[in-house]
Amino acid sequence: MATTFTGHEAAVQGQDSRETRDEESNGAVPHTFGAYDHVTEVDHYNRDEEKNGAIPHTFGAYTHLTEVDYDTRDEDKNGAIPHTFGAYTHLTEVDHKTLDAEKDGAIPHTFGAYTHLTEVDRQDRNVTDGGTLHLRGDDLPRGVLTQAQRESYSKDGYVVLPDAVDDSQGTDLLEEVHNVIKRISTGGAGITRHDMSGNTGAKKRPSPVGHVLATFEPEDKSSSNPFERRVARLGLGVHQKLPSFRDLTHSAFNRAVAESLGYNDPRITQSQIIAKLAGIGGSLVPHQDGAVSFSDPPSAMTFWYALEDSTLENGCLCVAKGSHLTTPLTQRLTKLDDGFPKFVGLEKPLWAQGVADKDKIAPGEYEFEALEVKKGTLVLFHGNLMHKSEANMSDKNRMAYTFSIIDGRAECPTDSYVMPEVGGLERLA
């Protein structure tokens, strides 16, 4: 089916966003940003991925884009590779095809996570349902997952880590988002507006990779100027352009989390802010992030940070527990010559690491579990895990920040939608 693109996007060179995905609508094509059969303008807190026919996580379905930009780069540091963020000449990459999943002591469905790498299960831990483990202050170092947490991630496909961001940092993150949104609506320095409606003769869509492209809620009719309507989302290079989110992403905590699950060479594929606004945030259809943050073998993992309380009423994240073991990847997102995204089918399905041939059977209907979490909570989930969210019909916003990584030992095709035009994927430092 041919995909036509209409709507509005803005490329910011500095700030703002919220958290609602257009992937959350009926007919959305999972894991792309704004690719819809019929896209209209977006609204402040809802993503255009949430419209009928939207291709979630692509930022490809809008007629207007606003771009945010920050000039803070690591290029000037010793050994830095020009035109990259934090890529240095002294970093080497391990063998693409060498995976540790089959070694003794390896935890299934992870890359190089072994039982002897971190301390084993402690008795003073509080364990709750749904994969949530609350650690006491005298437990493992911050960010180092316990044996039980890693096994929970392996079995269920996700794990919930409360209090990953404290109130002070959370406030700073939200403030930066709101400042960016304000700049987008007023225009001015650092803001580039892209009219992709066809009226200006523009034929190539700006890439969101390494940039902050803002899309707008299609249901918002508050202004005749599409660039003054409410922002739906920002991506896919939020961590590269917005300082507070750069610091959060490249924190020692996140690095320790990744290493606990065997990522010795974690590479960031994309980062975004999803602004699911009160009363207007749309639903997100079931999908797998690994189709966008694609690698062979599958190695994608998503860090999902709740910037505000997430409840059933405002469209919290819902996961199909264990579906990463029953649902292989069957497609991946590529970038066409004109910058638009397109899913292509895989020659063969790609299962999570460690799934035995006898277990490779078609799944039945998914049973989704709602993850109601507090502000500051981190949800980690496998790239093959089926997940979704419902529309926000409440009077409270539900903003979140997400970024995904893949293992540097796995192969990422050069035509992948998330692959930078210059250089490789940035390392989680």
Side-chain angles (χ1 to χ4, degrees), residues 132-163:
T132 305
L133 287 82
H134 298 269
L135 302 182
R136 298 179 186 273
D138 58 353
D139 259 312
L140 300 177
R142 181 169 166 77
V144 177
L145 301 186
T146 65
Q147 170 90 9
Q149 286 173 312
R150 291 183 288 126
E151 290 179 348
S152 177
Y153 178 86
S154 173
K155 179 173 73 75
D156 299 332
Y158 73 97
V159 65
V160 181
L161 306 177
D163 304 318

Side-chain angles (χ1 to χ4, degrees), residues 171-188:
T171 298
D172 291 342
L173 292 168
L174 281 174
E175 182 178 358
E176 182 156 32
V177 172
H178 290 303
N179 287 340
V180 170
I181 291 176
K182 198 174 296 183
R183 290 178 58 201
I184 290 172
S185 64
T186 58

Side-chain angles (χ1 to χ4, degrees), residues 123-408:
Q123 299 301 314
D124 57 355
R125 193 169 50 250
N126 295 324
V127 183
T128 64
D129 292 334
T132 305
L133 287 82
H134 298 269
L135 302 182
R136 298 179 186 273
D138 58 353
D139 259 312
L140 300 177
R142 181 169 166 77
V144 177
L145 301 186
T146 65
Q147 170 90 9
Q149 286 173 312
R150 291 183 288 126
E151 290 179 348
S152 177
Y153 178 86
S154 173
K155 179 173 73 75
D156 299 332
Y158 73 97
V159 65
V160 181
L161 306 177
D163 304 318
V165 172
D166 61 32
D167 289 342
S168 176
Q169 185 180 16
T171 298
D172 291 342
L173 292 168
L174 281 174
E175 182 178 358
E176 182 156 32
V177 172
H178 290 303
N179 287 340
V180 170
I181 291 176
K182 198 174 296 183
R183 290 178 58 201
I184 290 172
S185 64
T186 58
I191 302 295
T192 304
R193 289 176 169 176
H194 304 273
D195 185 345
M196 302 300 296
S197 63
N199 298 326
T200 60
K203 295 182 179 179
K204 186 170 183 178
R205 180 162 301 281
S207 172
V209 178
H211 303 280
V212 176
L213 291 185
T215 59
F216 305 87
E217 287 300 349
E219 299 303 321
D220 182 11
K221 306 303 180 184
S222 61
S223 174
S224 59
N225 183 344
F227 294 113
E228 293 178 355
R229 296 174 183 174
R230 291 184 292 176
V231 170
R233 69 168 177 264
L234 301 175
L236 294 171
V238 169
H239 73 286
Q240 294 172 312
K241 300 295 186 179
L242 307 186
S244 295
F245 290 93
R246 181 187 304 122
D247 293 342
L248 171 61
T249 303
H250 286 291
S251 65
F253 172 80
N254 286 335
R255 178 70 192 196
V257 165
E259 289 180 347
S260 291
L261 291 172
Y263 289 85
N264 296 319
D265 184 24
R267 299 289 171 148
I268 303 170
T269 57
Q270 59 86 22
S271 61
Q272 59 183 302
I273 294 167
I274 305 168
K276 182 172 283 199
L277 297 186
I280 195 169
S283 62
L284 174 61
V285 298
H287 64 280
Q288 299 165 296
D289 284 0
V292 173
S293 297
F294 178 83
S295 70
D296 184 5
S299 65
M301 178 169 68
T302 295
F303 291 67
W304 189 96
Y305 277 95
L307 301 183
E308 296 175 304
D309 291 349
S310 182
T311 66
L312 276 171
E313 290 73 24
N314 66 9
C316 66
L317 182 66
C318 299
V319 299
K321 181 183 292 187
S323 60
H324 65 305
L325 303 179
T326 64
T327 311
L329 299 179
T330 58
Q331 61 181 354
R332 66 182 181 90
L333 189 66
T334 62
K335 181 166 58 178
L336 301 177
D337 291 341
D338 60 5
F340 283 84
K342 180 181 179 180
F343 276 108
V344 297
L346 302 179
E347 292 184 1
K348 62 179 181 178
L350 293 180
W351 296 79
Q353 293 296 292
V355 177
D357 287 342
K358 66 180 180 62
D359 296 326
K360 294 179 179 179
I361 56 177
E365 289 190 17
Y366 299 111
E367 294 185 7
F368 287 91
E369 176 180 345
L371 301 182
E372 296 188 278
V373 299
K374 293 293 186 181
K375 172 184 177 181
T377 298
L378 168 61
V379 181
L380 295 168
F381 56 90
H382 194 286
N384 282 38
L385 185 76
M386 295 296 295
H387 60 286
K388 67 172 187 174
S389 66
E390 299 301 331
N392 183 357
M393 305 304 293
S394 75
D395 60 356
K396 296 183 183 299
N397 300 327
R398 196 225 71 180
M399 190 177 298
Y401 170 66
T402 76
F403 72 93
S404 298
I405 62 172
I406 61 172
D407 195 289

